Every structure is written in structure tokens, then in C-alpha cells.
Amino acid sequence: MTRDWLADTRTSYDADARGYAEKVRGLLEQSPYLRGGLSIFAELVRDAGGGPVADVGCGPGHVTRHLADRGVDAFGIDLAPEMVALARRDHPDLRFEVGTMTDLDLADGSIAGLLAFWSVIHVPDHAVPGVFAEFHRVLRPGGPLLVGFHVGDGTRTTTQGYTGRAIHVESHRRRPGQVSDWLRAAGFGIEAELLTDPDAERPGAMIFARTQAQS
Ligand SMILES: C[S@@+](CC[C@H](N)C(=O)[O-])C[C@H]1O[C@@H](n2cnc3c(N)ncnc32)[C@H](O)[C@@H]1O
């Protein structure tokens, strides 16, 4: 039987929202590289004129908070209603909406920047080009994009959440070159790739890209 990956991801993060929020609490404070990547992104948004920035797959909203505290007009979107409920509870002054990156409820060219921090990891290969096309559609010309993901090969299936509850979520590890190729094909120019923990079992990568400005 073919599983519905979007439904699996939604129900898994709904079930594990509290466990995940606990796991990532304080993570940014411990990682100068993640904070550095977000600072660069905030600067790129500012230099491009500022405006609303979507944190897509925002989880409990800690990264949205981090950007907002640095002057970015950030709002969050997440597939899992329980995640959005937690984000609203913990950051009542920020805006969070339920939605999917496969079909964003945003007008063409309506946002100044888009962040997808370790959220595209749950999108299977065949659906990534469509997701990056959505990112390109909603960003205004010259708008910066930051994508963070696990580096490597293959897919892991997680069947137990951080609080021990049964879940079923797939995480796809990828080579930065593959992700950049998908982004170029969607109309992005690649500006930088940052590899973190290169010697670890599961390195991370952040790719900075931008929609091509209209001539
Ligand atoms: C690993 S967590 C990352 C959360 C946060 N960005 C962070 O850096 O900690 C992945 C998040 O992406 C969300 N997500 C997965 N697929 C999504 C989709 N198709 N559209 C929107 N959000 C999605 C999940 O619900 C989950 O909150």
C-alpha cells in the first residue's frame, strides 16, 4: 500500500508537537552557525527592501521568533495544527497559520523572503520541484530564500516520537548539489552553500538562493 506522506507527516508532528518543541528548545542558542545563517538571511531580506517573510514548516515557532527579534517581519506556516497551536501559545505576538508548502495560501510575488529550515526534509524527491516552484511563485523578484536540511543519502523512517508516541514520518537526506540543482531548475540563483558538522554522522547544510530580479 502506498502511504500518504503528507498525511503521515501531519499526523506525526501533531502527535509529537510537544516532544519536538522540547527537543529544539535552546538549540539556536547552542549553535552559532545556525544563528549566523539566520543573521545573514535577515540581512539579505533587509538589503532587498524588507517586507513579510514566511517561515515555512515553522514547527513551534522558535526560528520565527529569532528572526522577528532581529527586525524581520516574520510569520510562520506549518502543516501540523498542533505545532501551530504551540507556536501561537508561545509567541502570541506573532502570526502562525496552518498550511502546506506544496500549495501555499499566498499570492504570487507577495513575500520578501522565505525560510524553509529542516522542513523540506519531509518532502519526497518527486514532490521537491513542485515545492520549490511554489517558493518561487510566492517570492517577489530578488527575494532571498534559505533552505536548511540534513546532508547525506537515503531516507529514514521514524516510528516513535520524542515522547514515545507512535508516529510515521520519513526524513530524506540530500546532497547540497542536488538541492541546488532543483532550486536552479525552479528559477533561483544560488548565492552560498554552508555545510555544518561535516564530520558528523548527519551533517547539515544551508543554501542561500534568490529569485532572479526582473530586468
Ligand atoms: C524538523 S521540523 C523543523 C521545524 C523548524 N523549522 C525547526 O527548524 O526546528 C519539520 C516541520 O516541518 C513541518 N512540515 C513538514 N511538511 C510540511 C509541509 N508540507 N508544509 C508545511 N510544513 C511542513 C512539520 O510539521 C514540522 O513542524
Side-chain angles (χ1 to χ4, degrees):
M1 191 191 84
T2 309
R3 298 190 68 108
D4 180 340
W5 57 272
L6 210 48
D8 277 346
T9 306
R10 181 188 300 111
T11 53
S12 295
Y13 274 101
D14 268 345
D16 205 28
R18 280 167 198 282
Y20 184 82
E22 209 41 56
K23 184 206 158 221
V24 296
R25 192 181 301 280
L27 200 68
L28 285 181
E29 286 69 27
Q30 292 161 26
S31 174
Y33 299 102
L34 290 181
R35 291 200 310 277
L38 293 170
S39 293
I40 292 169
F41 178 66
E43 188 176 328
L44 293 172
V45 169
R46 249 191 327 271
D47 288 353
V53 168
D55 177 4
V56 177
C58 61
H62 56 300
V63 181
T64 325
R65 167 91 272 150
H66 188 84
L67 288 174
D69 288 350
R70 275 141 196 87
V72 178
D73 180 14
F75 64 98
I77 297 171
D78 201 278
L79 182 64
E82 286 299 325
M83 278 295 194
V84 170
L86 273 187
R88 286 177 178 159
R89 184 200 68 185
D90 291 347
H91 310 287
D93 56 323
L94 300 182
R95 186 160 67 84
F96 296 96
E97 304 292 345
V98 176
T100 175
M101 66 178 85
T102 52
D103 185 15
L104 289 167
D105 189 15
L106 295 169
D108 295 2
S110 61
I111 59 167
L114 194 151
L115 170 75
F117 234 37
W118 278 265
S119 51
V120 178
I121 61 170
H122 299 304
V123 176
D125 284 5
H126 69 82
V128 173
V131 164
F132 286 171
E134 267 300 87
F135 290 177
H136 193 274
R137 178 185 69 75
V138 301
L139 272 165
R140 69 186 183 206
L145 168 74
L146 174 54
V147 183
F149 54 97
H150 298 314
V151 173
D153 299 298
T155 297
R156 272 67 172 176
T157 304
T158 305
T159 55
Q160 193 177 49
Y162 293 107
T163 53
R165 300 176 74 170
I167 62 172
H168 186 107
V169 65
E170 297 199 330
S171 304
H172 310 281
R173 297 184 186 186
R174 290 177 171 127
R175 302 271 159 188
Q178 166 71 82
V179 176
S180 290
D181 282 349
W182 274 322
L183 287 169
R184 286 187 193 97
F188 287 95
I190 308 300
E191 297 192 347
E193 292 180 359
L194 175 62
L195 185 66
T196 59
D197 295 319
D199 297 328
E201 189 273 324
R202 193 181 63 179
M206 285 180 266
I207 295 184
F208 298 81
R210 192 189 294 271
T211 51
Q212 304 299 301
Q214 281 168 343
S215 51

Short mmCIF file of all heavy atoms in Angstrom, two decimals, residues 108-137:
data_model
loop_
_atom_site.label_atom_id
_atom_site.label_comp_id
_atom_site.label_asym_id
_atom_site.label_seq_id
_atom_site.Cartn_x
_atom_site.Cartn_y
_atom_site.Cartn_z
N ASP A 108 0.94 35.42 -5.56
CA ASP A 108 2.18 35.46 -6.35
C ASP A 108 2.99 36.70 -5.96
O ASP A 108 2.43 37.81 -5.86
CB ASP A 108 1.87 35.58 -7.85
CG ASP A 108 1.15 34.35 -8.39
OD1 ASP A 108 0.86 33.42 -7.61
OD2 ASP A 108 0.87 34.34 -9.61
N GLY A 109 4.28 36.54 -5.77
CA GLY A 109 5.18 37.68 -5.52
C GLY A 109 4.85 38.49 -4.29
O GLY A 109 5.19 39.67 -4.20
N SER A 110 4.20 37.86 -3.30
CA SER A 110 3.70 38.64 -2.16
C SER A 110 4.65 38.67 -0.97
O SER A 110 4.40 39.40 -0.01
CB SER A 110 2.35 38.08 -1.70
OG SER A 110 2.49 36.73 -1.28
N ILE A 111 5.72 37.88 -0.97
CA ILE A 111 6.59 37.88 0.22
C ILE A 111 8.01 38.29 -0.15
O ILE A 111 8.49 38.10 -1.27
CB ILE A 111 6.58 36.53 0.96
CG1 ILE A 111 7.03 35.39 0.08
CG2 ILE A 111 5.22 36.24 1.57
CD1 ILE A 111 7.33 34.14 0.87
N ALA A 112 8.69 38.87 0.87
CA ALA A 112 10.02 39.44 0.65
C ALA A 112 11.12 38.40 0.85
O ALA A 112 12.24 38.58 0.38
CB ALA A 112 10.23 40.60 1.61
N GLY A 113 10.82 37.33 1.60
CA GLY A 113 11.82 36.30 1.86
C GLY A 113 11.14 35.03 2.33
O GLY A 113 9.99 35.08 2.81
N LEU A 114 11.81 33.90 2.15
CA LEU A 114 11.22 32.62 2.57
C LEU A 114 12.31 31.75 3.19
O LEU A 114 13.40 31.59 2.62
CB LEU A 114 10.57 31.92 1.38
CG LEU A 114 9.63 30.74 1.70
CD1 LEU A 114 8.56 30.61 0.62
CD2 LEU A 114 10.38 29.43 1.86
N LEU A 115 11.96 31.20 4.36
CA LEU A 115 12.86 30.32 5.08
C LEU A 115 12.21 28.94 5.16
O LEU A 115 11.03 28.84 5.53
CB LEU A 115 13.06 30.87 6.50
CG LEU A 115 13.79 29.98 7.49
CD1 LEU A 115 15.28 29.96 7.18
CD2 LEU A 115 13.57 30.49 8.91
N ALA A 116 12.95 27.91 4.82
CA ALA A 116 12.46 26.53 5.00
C ALA A 116 13.56 25.78 5.74
O ALA A 116 14.49 25.24 5.14
CB ALA A 116 12.15 25.88 3.65
N PHE A 117 13.45 25.78 7.07
CA PHE A 117 14.52 25.26 7.94
C PHE A 117 14.17 23.83 8.33
O PHE A 117 13.30 23.58 9.16
CB PHE A 117 14.60 26.16 9.17
CG PHE A 117 15.97 26.72 9.44
CD1 PHE A 117 16.81 27.09 8.40
CD2 PHE A 117 16.42 26.91 10.75
CE1 PHE A 117 18.07 27.63 8.65
CE2 PHE A 117 17.67 27.44 11.01
CZ PHE A 117 18.49 27.79 9.96
N TRP A 118 14.86 22.89 7.73
CA TRP A 118 14.69 21.47 8.04
C TRP A 118 13.22 21.04 7.94
O TRP A 118 12.74 20.24 8.74
CB TRP A 118 15.30 21.13 9.41
CG TRP A 118 16.79 20.94 9.27
CD1 TRP A 118 17.44 19.75 9.10
CD2 TRP A 118 17.80 21.95 9.23
NE1 TRP A 118 18.79 19.98 8.93
CE2 TRP A 118 19.04 21.32 9.02
CE3 TRP A 118 17.79 23.35 9.32
CZ2 TRP A 118 20.24 22.02 8.92
CZ3 TRP A 118 19.00 24.04 9.22
CH2 TRP A 118 20.19 23.37 9.03
N SER A 119 12.52 21.56 6.95
CA SER A 119 11.13 21.16 6.72
C SER A 119 10.98 20.44 5.37
O SER A 119 10.18 19.50 5.26
CB SER A 119 10.18 22.35 6.81
OG SER A 119 10.62 23.43 6.01
N VAL A 120 11.79 20.84 4.38
CA VAL A 120 11.74 20.15 3.08
C VAL A 120 12.28 18.72 3.22
O VAL A 120 12.07 17.89 2.34
CB VAL A 120 12.52 20.97 2.01
CG1 VAL A 120 12.53 20.28 0.66
CG2 VAL A 120 11.91 22.37 1.85
N ILE A 121 12.93 18.44 4.37
CA ILE A 121 13.44 17.07 4.60
C ILE A 121 12.33 16.03 4.57
O ILE A 121 12.59 14.85 4.39
CB ILE A 121 14.22 16.95 5.93
CG1 ILE A 121 13.31 17.27 7.13
CG2 ILE A 121 15.44 17.84 5.93
CD1 ILE A 121 13.95 16.94 8.50
N HIS A 122 11.09 16.47 4.77
CA HIS A 122 9.97 15.51 4.79
C HIS A 122 9.26 15.40 3.45
O HIS A 122 8.26 14.69 3.34
CB HIS A 122 8.98 15.90 5.89
CG HIS A 122 9.58 15.90 7.26
ND1 HIS A 122 10.22 14.79 7.80
CD2 HIS A 122 9.69 16.88 8.20
CE1 HIS A 122 10.67 15.08 9.00
NE2 HIS A 122 10.37 16.35 9.26
N VAL A 123 9.78 16.12 2.45
CA VAL A 123 9.15 16.09 1.13
C VAL A 123 9.91 15.08 0.25
O VAL A 123 11.13 15.21 0.08
CB VAL A 123 9.20 17.50 0.48
CG1 VAL A 123 8.63 17.47 -0.93
CG2 VAL A 123 8.46 18.51 1.35
N PRO A 124 9.21 14.10 -0.30
CA PRO A 124 9.91 13.12 -1.14
C PRO A 124 10.44 13.75 -2.43
O PRO A 124 9.91 14.78 -2.89
CB PRO A 124 8.83 12.07 -1.44
CG PRO A 124 7.53 12.73 -1.17
CD PRO A 124 7.78 13.81 -0.16
N ASP A 125 11.45 13.14 -3.01
CA ASP A 125 12.12 13.70 -4.20
C ASP A 125 11.13 14.14 -5.27
O ASP A 125 11.27 15.22 -5.85
CB ASP A 125 13.06 12.65 -4.82
CG ASP A 125 14.34 12.49 -4.02
OD1 ASP A 125 14.47 13.12 -2.94
OD2 ASP A 125 15.22 11.73 -4.48
N HIS A 126 10.14 13.30 -5.55
CA HIS A 126 9.26 13.60 -6.68
C HIS A 126 8.46 14.87 -6.47
O HIS A 126 8.01 15.50 -7.43
CB HIS A 126 8.33 12.41 -6.96
CG HIS A 126 7.29 12.18 -5.90
ND1 HIS A 126 6.11 12.89 -5.85
CD2 HIS A 126 7.26 11.35 -4.84
CE1 HIS A 126 5.41 12.50 -4.81
NE2 HIS A 126 6.09 11.56 -4.17
N ALA A 127 8.29 15.29 -5.19
CA ALA A 127 7.49 16.48 -4.90
C ALA A 127 8.33 17.74 -4.68
O ALA A 127 7.78 18.83 -4.58
CB ALA A 127 6.61 16.22 -3.68
N VAL A 128 9.66 17.60 -4.59
CA VAL A 128 10.50 18.76 -4.31
C VAL A 128 10.42 19.82 -5.42
O VAL A 128 10.28 21.02 -5.13
CB VAL A 128 11.97 18.35 -4.03
CG1 VAL A 128 12.86 19.58 -3.91
CG2 VAL A 128 12.06 17.51 -2.77
N PRO A 129 10.49 19.45 -6.71
CA PRO A 129 10.40 20.50 -7.74
C PRO A 129 9.12 21.33 -7.63
O PRO A 129 9.16 22.56 -7.81
CB PRO A 129 10.45 19.70 -9.06
CG PRO A 129 11.23 18.46 -8.69
CD PRO A 129 10.79 18.13 -7.29
N GLY A 130 8.01 20.70 -7.30
CA GLY A 130 6.75 21.44 -7.13
C GLY A 130 6.80 22.38 -5.94
O GLY A 130 6.29 23.51 -6.00
N VAL A 131 7.43 21.95 -4.84
CA VAL A 131 7.57 22.80 -3.65
C VAL A 131 8.45 24.01 -3.97
O VAL A 131 8.12 25.16 -3.63
CB VAL A 131 8.14 21.98 -2.47
CG1 VAL A 131 8.67 22.89 -1.37
CG2 VAL A 131 7.07 21.04 -1.92
N PHE A 132 9.58 23.78 -4.66
CA PHE A 132 10.46 24.91 -4.98
C PHE A 132 9.79 25.85 -5.99
O PHE A 132 10.02 27.07 -5.96
CB PHE A 132 11.81 24.40 -5.50
CG PHE A 132 12.70 23.82 -4.41
CD1 PHE A 132 13.88 23.14 -4.72
CD2 PHE A 132 12.36 23.95 -3.06
CE1 PHE A 132 14.69 22.62 -3.72
CE2 PHE A 132 13.17 23.42 -2.05
CZ PHE A 132 14.33 22.75 -2.39
N ALA A 133 8.94 25.32 -6.85
CA ALA A 133 8.17 26.18 -7.76
C ALA A 133 7.20 27.06 -6.96
O ALA A 133 7.00 28.24 -7.29
CB ALA A 133 7.42 25.34 -8.78
N GLU A 134 6.60 26.49 -5.90
CA GLU A 134 5.72 27.26 -5.02
C GLU A 134 6.51 28.38 -4.33
O GLU A 134 6.05 29.53 -4.25
CB GLU A 134 5.12 26.37 -3.93
CG GLU A 134 3.77 25.77 -4.27
CD GLU A 134 2.72 26.83 -4.52
OE1 GLU A 134 2.61 27.29 -5.69
OE2 GLU A 134 2.01 27.22 -3.59
N PHE A 135 7.70 28.06 -3.82
CA PHE A 135 8.54 29.07 -3.17
C PHE A 135 8.82 30.22 -4.16
O PHE A 135 8.72 31.40 -3.81
CB PHE A 135 9.88 28.47 -2.70
CG PHE A 135 9.77 27.51 -1.54
CD1 PHE A 135 10.91 26.84 -1.06
CD2 PHE A 135 8.56 27.26 -0.90
CE1 PHE A 135 10.84 25.97 0.01
CE2 PHE A 135 8.47 26.37 0.17
CZ PHE A 135 9.62 25.72 0.62
N HIS A 136 9.16 29.84 -5.38
CA HIS A 136 9.48 30.85 -6.40
C HIS A 136 8.24 31.69 -6.73
O HIS A 136 8.34 32.92 -6.89
CB HIS A 136 10.01 30.15 -7.66
CG HIS A 136 10.64 31.08 -8.64
ND1 HIS A 136 9.90 31.75 -9.60
CD2 HIS A 136 11.92 31.48 -8.79
CE1 HIS A 136 10.72 32.51 -10.31
NE2 HIS A 136 11.94 32.38 -9.84
N ARG A 137 7.10 31.06 -6.80
CA ARG A 137 5.85 31.77 -7.15
C ARG A 137 5.51 32.86 -6.13
O ARG A 137 5.15 33.97 -6.49
CB ARG A 137 4.69 30.76 -7.22
CG ARG A 137 3.33 31.39 -7.54
CD ARG A 137 2.20 30.39 -7.47
NE ARG A 137 1.90 29.89 -6.14
CZ ARG A 137 1.24 30.58 -5.20
NH1 ARG A 137 0.81 31.80 -5.45
NH2 ARG A 137 1.00 30.04 -4.01
#
